[in-house]
C-alpha cells in the first residue's frame, strides 16, 4: 500500500471542465454525461492539488480529462499556475474555441504542448464524426496556433483516430495531408478503443481474444482527476480516463476534501490495485470489458512525434517513419 514515503505521482491529469461543446460519435459524451461531472474545476482546488502532488515527484500536469478545457474562462490561468511551479504543462482541445486571442494567452502562459483532437481526415468524415465541429474553422485555428508558437517553447500536436479499419493506409495519408501538412503540427494516429467496455460506442472492429494483463494504470505514478464529483464535491479521482460515461462507478475519492495520500491509500484504490495485481479484472465492473487489458502494440498506427514508444505501425510496414517525420 502506498504511503507518503513511497508514493510517486509524476503526472496529474486534471480536467478543467466536465462539459463539451461537441457530441462526437465515438465518445460517451455524445450520450450525455452524469450531471455531477459537468462542472468547472475551482482553481483553488487545482492549486491545492498540484501543491500536494509536488511532494511526490510531480513532473507534468495535463489539463484534460474528458471535457473541453477551452470552456473554462480561466484556462490560461491554470497553465500559468503549472508553469510557475516549474512543471511541464500539456492540454487537449477540440480547437473550436481556439481563437487568436486565446492562442496568444496560452502561449504567453507557457503551455508546452497543446494537443488537438481531430477525428476525420477530411471535411465530410470530420463533421460526421465530431458532431457540432467545424472542419475549416478548426484547421485555421490550428494553423494559426502552430504559426504563432514558432520560436517559442510551445508546440501543437494532433491526435487522430482511424475511422474505418479497412482503409487504414488511406486514412493515414489523408490525415497527414489535410491536417499535418496544412497546419505544420506534429501528429499521432491511433486505432479506436472501447471506453472501458462500453457497448454504446461502435469501434468498427474486434480485438483478438487472448490473455489479459493489467493496463498498468492502478500502479502507475499518475492520478486521473475529474472536474466534478459526487455529493457536491469536486476533483474526483477516478481509476482512469476510460471510465468516461460511467464516472460515478470509478470514483476513488475527492481531492476537494481529501489529500492525495488519503485517496491513494484508501479502501477503493487499494481494492482496484489488488484486482489488477491478481488479474481479477472481472471484479471491477468498469475494467472487465476494457480493451486496454490487451497488449496491442499496433494501437498507435503512425506517429512523427519524437519519443513515442511506437514509431511505426506493425500493420502498415509500407509507411516508413522517416518518410513522414
Amino acid at each position: 500500500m502506498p504511503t507518503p514515503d513511497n508514493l510517486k505521482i509524476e503526472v496529474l491529469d486534471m480536467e478543467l471542465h466536465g462539459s463539451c461543446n461537441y457530441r462526437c460519435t465515438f465518445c460517451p459524451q455524445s450520450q450525455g454525461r452524469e450531471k455531477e461531472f459537468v462542472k468547472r474545476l475551482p482553481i483553488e482546488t487545482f492549486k491545492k492539488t498540484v501543491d500536494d502532488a509536488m511532494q511526490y515527484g510531480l513532473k507534468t500536469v495535463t489539463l484534460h480529462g474528458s471535457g473541453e478545457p477551452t470552456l473554462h474562462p480561466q484556462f490560461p490561468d491554470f497553465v500559468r499556475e503549472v508553469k510557475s511551479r516549474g512543471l511541464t504543462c500539456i492540454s487537449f482541445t477540440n480547437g473550436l474555441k481556439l481563437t487568436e486571442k486565446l492562442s496568444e494567452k496560452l502561449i504567453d502562459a507557457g503551455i508546452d504542448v497543446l494537443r488537438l483532437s481531430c477525428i476525420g481526415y477530411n471535411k465530410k468524415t470530420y463533421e460526421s464524426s465530431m458532431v457540432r465541429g467545424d472542419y475549416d474553422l478548426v484547421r485555421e485555428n490550428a494553423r494559426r496556433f502552430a504559426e504563432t508558437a514558432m520560436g517559442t517553447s510551445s508546440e501543437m500536436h494532433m491526435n487522430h483516430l482511424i475511422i474505418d479499419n479497412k482503409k487504414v493506409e488511406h486514412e493515414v495519408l489523408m490525415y497527414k495531408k489535410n491536417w499535418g501538412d496544412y497546419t505544420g503540427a506534429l501528429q499521432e494516429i491511433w486505432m479506436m478503443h472501447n471506453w472501458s467496455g462500453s457497448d454504446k460506442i461502435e469501434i468498427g472492429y474486434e480485438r483478438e481474444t487472448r490473455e489479459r494483463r493489467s493496463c498498468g494504470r492502478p500502479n502507475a505514478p499518475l492520478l486521473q482527476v475529474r472536474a466534478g464529483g459526487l455529493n457536491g464535491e469536486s476533483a474526483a479521482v477516478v481509476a482512469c480516463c476510460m471510465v468516461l460515461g460511467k464516472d460515478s462507478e470509478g470514483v476513488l475519492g475527492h481531492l476537494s476534501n481529501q489529500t492525495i495520500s488519503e485517496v491513494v491509500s484508501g479502501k477503493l484504490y487499494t481494492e482496484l490495485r489488488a484486482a489488477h495485481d491478481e488479474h481479477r479484472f472481472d471484479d471491477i465492473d468498469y475494467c472487465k470489458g476494457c480493451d486496454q487489458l490487451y497488449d496491442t502494440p499496433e494501437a498507435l498506427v503512425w506517429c512523427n512525434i519524437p519519443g513515442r514508444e511506437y514509431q511505426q505501425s506493425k500493420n502498415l510496414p509500407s509507411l516508413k517513419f522517416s518518410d513522414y517525420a
Side-chain angles (χ1 to χ4, degrees):
M1 177 184 298
T3 67
D5 293 329
N6 63 20
L7 177 58
K8 283 188 177 181
I9 301 294
E10 296 180 353
V11 180
L12 270 178
D13 281 352
M14 300 286 291
E15 182 180 64
L16 300 191
H17 202 299
S19 185
C20 187
N21 48 349
Y22 277 25
R23 288 295 180 266
C24 302
T25 58
F26 53 86
C27 178
Q29 284 268 27
S30 65
Q31 309 293 330
R33 196 173 188 186
E34 296 162 294
K35 64 179 181 179
E36 292 168 303
F37 292 89
V38 184
K39 297 178 181 178
R40 294 179 183 174
L41 180 67
I43 197 165
E44 291 305 318
T45 301
F46 174 82
K47 291 190 286 186
K48 177 180 78 73
T49 299
V50 173
D51 288 339
D52 189 4
M54 292 283 285
Q55 64 184 307
Y56 304 122
L58 185 62
K59 298 177 181 178
T60 301
V61 179
T62 61
L63 304 178
H64 75 90
S66 298
E68 171 54 42
T70 60
L71 297 180
H72 201 305
Q74 293 177 282
F75 185 13
D77 296 329
F78 284 89
V79 174
R80 195 167 285 107
E81 290 292 338
V82 175
K83 296 307 298 178
S84 71
R85 291 162 172 79
L87 303 169
T88 298
C89 186
I90 300 170
S91 189
F92 268 94
T93 178
N94 57 40
L96 187 67
K97 293 175 67 66
L98 190 62
T99 62
E100 181 176 4
K101 183 177 182 180
L102 179 57
S103 294
E104 291 172 350
K105 286 184 176 181
L106 291 173
I107 293 168
D108 182 66
I111 194 167
D112 292 282
V113 177
L114 184 62
R115 301 181 69 187
L116 196 67
S117 182
C118 310
I119 317 306
Y121 51 83
N122 58 21
K123 184 177 179 67
K124 180 180 178 181
T125 56
Y126 176 86
E127 294 185 358
S128 62
S129 297
M130 304 193 74
V131 179
R132 298 185 183 178
D134 186 322
Y135 175 79
D136 295 319
L137 176 60
V138 171
R139 287 209 312 160
E140 285 304 312
N141 289 347
R143 183 195 57 75
R144 182 177 56 236
F145 184 96
E147 184 178 272
T148 304
M150 289 182 64
T152 74
S153 60
S154 300
E155 291 184 354
M156 168 160 281
H157 296 176
M158 293 194 164
N159 188 81
H160 310 293
L161 292 176
I162 294 297
I163 298 172
D164 187 343
N165 198 41
K166 297 178 181 179
K167 299 179 180 179
V168 176
E169 187 161 349
H170 172 70
E171 291 196 19
V172 170
L173 294 175
M174 293 298 286
Y175 272 127
K176 176 65 173 64
K177 175 184 176 181
N178 292 336
W179 288 102
D181 291 349
Y182 185 82
T183 65
L186 295 171
Q187 297 171 276
E188 58 185 21
I189 306 171
W190 295 83
M191 302 296 278
M192 202 75 75
H193 58 76
N194 73 357
W195 296 101
S196 292
S198 172
D199 59 1
K200 296 179 180 179
I201 306 302
E202 175 61 50
I203 64 173
Y205 63 96
E206 295 291 336
R207 293 286 192 211
E208 180 184 343
T209 302
R210 51 192 181 274
E211 186 178 353
R212 294 178 295 179
R213 79 318 184 240
S214 173
C215 63
R217 287 179 175 85
N219 290 299
L222 178 151
L223 214 59
Q224 187 82 37
V225 186
R226 299 306 202 201
L230 302 175
N231 303 314
E233 298 295 341
S234 61
V237 176
V238 294
C240 72
C241 60
M242 301 295 176
V243 299
L244 177 61
K246 51 179 83 171
D247 288 298
S248 60
E249 298 177 27
V251 173
L252 304 171
H254 295 88
L255 296 176
S256 56
N257 64 4
Q258 294 175 281
T259 65
I260 289 174
S261 180
E262 287 171 341
V263 172
V264 175
S265 62
K267 178 182 177 182
L268 294 175
Y269 218 129
T270 300
E271 290 175 349
L272 174 64
R273 282 195 301 272
H276 273 249
D277 291 345
E278 299 164 14
H279 287 204
R280 295 184 288 103
F281 307 119
D282 290 349
D283 289 355
I284 308 295
D285 186 63
Y286 51 80
C287 290
K288 62 185 180 183
C290 184
D291 61 7
Q292 302 296 302
L293 296 173
Y294 298 99
D295 186 17
T296 312
E298 67 272 18
L300 181 51
V301 176
W302 184 84
C303 177
N304 65 354
I305 300 173
R308 286 299 193 203
E309 182 176 355
Y310 303 119
Q311 296 292 332
Q312 172 58 47
S313 171
K314 294 185 178 181
N315 283 342
L316 301 175
S318 63
L319 286 176
K320 300 288 196 317
F321 175 74
S322 59
D323 291 341
Y324 296 93

